[in-house]
Amino acid sequence: MLKGIPFDSPLYEIDEERGIEYRNCKAVTALFTIKNDVSELIPEGLKSLGNGAVWVSHYGFSTVGTYNEYISVIQVEDEVGDMGYYIPYIYVTNDSALAAGREVAGAPKKLAKIELTQELDVVQGILERPTGKRLVTVTMKPNIRAKELIEYILPKPTYLYSVRHLPPIKGKGGVTQLIKWYANVDFHLDPSGEKVIFSGPASVTYDSPSVIDPVHKIEIGTILSAIYFEFDMKLGFVDILRELR
Amino acid sequence: MLKGSREGTSIPLDAGLYGASMQVLAKDVVTEYINCEAVMAFFTTSEEVDALLPEGLDLYSNPPNAAVFIANYPYSTLGPYYEMFSLIQVEFNGSMGYYIPYIYVTNDSALAAGREVVGAPKKLANIGIVKENDTILGYLERPKGKRLLSLSVKPEQRISDELIESLMPRRLELYSLAYCHQSRVVMD
């Protein structure tokens, strides 16, 4: 087991074989072309493939608690040719998820206000930090079955990359590493046996840009696909790809 | 690390959760607090707390001394937040200090900085200080509504400088257990 401090009552415990497990989740995600040069956001060892995505999700149950999450990703290729997503920005609503993500995988999580709601014919995901400072709004109308796109957007496994950085104390003890991890998404089936994955028209806006939380650095070109889906998931760790300086 | 952007001391490296992102302008990498208030209680406790200590630290006295502390930091370079921690008085290399087995905060910057830099085992919780009539009440709840600690104080007289210096010298040595996962987990 990977345990976070305090060791006699850990903030998180991760079964190394099973990973972090999620049940009864829902998410909206939009994949888009990136309009600007984002190479400065990416660490050595990864190459941008030119697309990005935003993800807003609600996890009804997980082994690090119930929470909401927002993720910005850049689609990349690593040095062995695997396609995946580098995570420059990620936000959660739960301390266990925050600490486990930062300390084990290097996911640069912060706390924020994140909501995934349905109103009228629209699914909406929002990110605010602090509350009232709207950084991102994702709206989509899930009106078309989208199963043919899913192997491209969320293959199994979906590789994820992040930079784990624990600062040194007076020059001792720090680490900076490129971490490769993965998500295995299992889509829910509806009563007719079809996966609950819908696509439809979507918009992604950076409503009120902030230098403190610069998610707007990944500029949105053309939206290639947007999907709403319901699922279970496992997160696990692949390897430390390299030590960075 | 990153191919280009301005880098801070914590992830995300271009917009760190804590630490000065423009270190050349910072006089030193320290966390500063202004206008804080706290309630605190010192007490003797059972020798069983020795089991909570890491190797290298010993109980300072018999019976052991411990403390609980609840503070409001209205301004800090990590943002405003409340904090609660438990302390066990310890001895390390002949000097008195305090080990922190449990600590809670209300702010993500403080949580991450504490855990990642010095190993303070911080969790988020509902923490507050309430002043009512002649009493100041500090409390800790996790989750909200599950009361873990109530510390009520009636501040009726000044405390001597000598007592404060003996319990909390100006340079207070604090200890915590920094830990870095080295496990490599291979997917099947």
Side-chain angles (χ1 to χ4, degrees):
Chain A
M1 296 289 275
L2 296 174
K3 291 185 179 183
I5 51 175
F7 288 135
D8 69 325
S9 52
L11 183 52
Y12 58 87
E13 288 187 70
I14 303 172
D15 183 315
E16 297 184 48
E17 297 300 320
R18 301 184 69 90
I20 303 173
E21 299 189 70
Y22 295 79
R23 294 292 320 277
N24 297 331
C25 310
K26 54 187 179 180
V28 61
T29 186
L31 181 72
F32 52 83
T33 60
I34 299 174
K35 200 159 66 174
N36 59 317
D37 178 6
V38 291
S39 58
E40 70 168 22
L41 296 178
I42 299 172
E44 299 160 19
L46 299 176
K47 182 176 75 176
S48 171
L49 297 177
N51 295 328
V54 293
W55 159 297
V56 182
S57 54
H58 168 70
Y59 306 130
F61 170 85
S62 89
T63 50
V64 290
T66 297
Y67 64 104
N68 293 348
E69 186 165 62
Y70 167 88
I71 313 174
S72 290
V73 297
I74 299 169
Q75 198 174 38
V76 294
E77 183 178 274
D78 68 19
E79 290 180 321
V80 297
D82 285 335
M83 185 279 282
Y85 297 99
Y86 175 67
I87 301 177
Y89 309 113
I90 179 169
Y91 298 84
V92 295
T93 57
N94 162 316
D95 57 348
S96 298
L98 181 138
R102 294 180 65 93
E103 295 169 15
V104 182
K109 293 177 177 176
K110 300 180 183 180
L111 292 182
K113 180 182 178 183
I114 303 160
E115 292 180 348
L116 180 61
T117 56
Q118 289 174 273
E119 184 178 317
L120 305 174
D121 57 346
V122 175
V123 175
Q124 176 169 276
I126 66 155
L127 170 69
E128 296 183 352
R129 189 171 193 275
T131 299
K133 172 75 171 171
R134 179 68 62 88
L135 302 172
V136 182
T137 303
V138 183
T139 51
M140 77 151 312
K141 180 171 178 166
N143 57 3
I144 307 167
R145 292 278 179 173
K147 56 190 173 188
E148 71 278 4
L149 296 170
I150 212 64
E151 284 304 314
Y152 175 69
I153 298 173
L154 292 170
K156 198 170 182 179
T158 297
Y159 290 118
L160 303 166
Y161 304 90
S162 45
V163 173
R164 184 164 75 138
H165 178 67
L166 300 174
I169 299 176
K170 295 190 181 295
K172 294 190 289 187
V175 300
T176 306
Q177 300 163 327
L178 178 60
I179 306 290
K180 182 176 184 177
W181 42 304
Y182 71 94
N184 273 344
V185 173
D186 292 308
F187 296 96
H188 285 183
L189 301 179
D190 66 18
S192 64
E194 287 192 273
K195 292 176 179 173
V196 182
I197 313 168
F198 290 89
S199 104
S203 66
V204 180
T205 54
Y206 297 130
D207 306 72
S208 180
S210 166
V211 71
I212 300 161
D213 296 287
V215 291
H216 61 278
K217 282 185 179 177
I218 305 171
E219 296 180 16
I220 297 157
T222 302
I223 292 183
L224 302 172
S225 175
I227 56 172
Y228 167 81
F229 53 107
E230 298 178 359
F231 59 104
D232 292 352
M233 183 171 69
K234 285 186 182 178
L235 296 181
F237 309 98
V238 180
D239 206 352
I240 297 168
L241 293 189
R242 62 161 72 185
E243 302 286 337
L244 301 169
R245 286 182 296 168
Chain B
M1 299 175 219
L2 301 184
K3 291 177 180 171
S5 76
R6 183 185 75 173
E7 291 182 357
T9 54
S10 65
I11 53 175
L13 292 172
D14 68 322
L17 182 52
Y18 59 86
S21 54
M22 299 176 71
Q23 300 253 324
V24 289
L25 298 180
K27 285 194 286 189
D28 199 359
V29 184
V30 296
T31 306
E32 296 191 62
Y33 297 80
I34 295 172
N35 292 334
C36 308
E37 60 180 357
V39 287
M40 188 171 192
F42 289 89
F43 50 88
T44 59
T45 188
S46 159
E47 288 182 34
E48 292 175 7
V49 297
D50 186 58
L52 297 176
L53 301 180
E55 297 167 18
L57 296 180
D58 296 308
L59 295 172
Y60 184 73
S61 62
N62 186 13
N65 292 325
V68 289
F69 175 98
I70 297 175
N72 173 22
Y73 307 131
Y75 175 87
S76 88
T77 49
L78 294 170
Y81 64 102
Y82 285 86
E83 182 170 64
M84 180 274 160
F85 53 79
S86 303
L87 297 173
I88 301 170
Q89 197 175 44
V90 295
E91 181 261 323
F92 178 71
N93 282 347
S95 296
M96 186 275 280
Y98 292 94
Y99 177 68
I100 303 177
Y102 309 112
I103 179 168
Y104 299 85
V105 294
T106 58
N107 162 315
D108 57 349
S109 300
L111 180 133
R115 293 181 66 92
E116 295 170 15
V117 180
V118 296
K122 293 178 177 177
K123 300 181 182 180
L124 290 183
N126 183 35
I127 307 164
I129 294 178
V130 178
K131 295 168 187 170
E132 186 177 310
N133 300 322
D134 60 349
T135 303
I136 301 173
L137 169 68
Y139 62 86
L140 169 70
E141 297 180 345
R142 191 174 194 275
K144 193 171 183 178
K146 172 70 172 174
R147 183 65 61 95
L148 301 176
L149 174 70
S150 297
L151 170 56
S152 53
V153 179
K154 181 178 177 179
E156 57 187 11
Q157 62 182 3
R158 297 273 179 172
I159 192 169
S160 73
D161 292 344
E162 292 75 20
L163 182 55
I164 280 292
E165 183 61 24
S166 70
L167 293 172
M168 295 185 66
R170 180 159 177 77
R171 182 182 170 87
L172 188 63
E173 306 284 349
L174 298 171
Y175 302 96
S176 49
L177 198 57
Y179 181 75
C180 176
H181 296 290
Q182 295 295 346
S183 304
R184 171 180 169 177
V185 184
V186 179
M187 61 179 290
D188 39 56

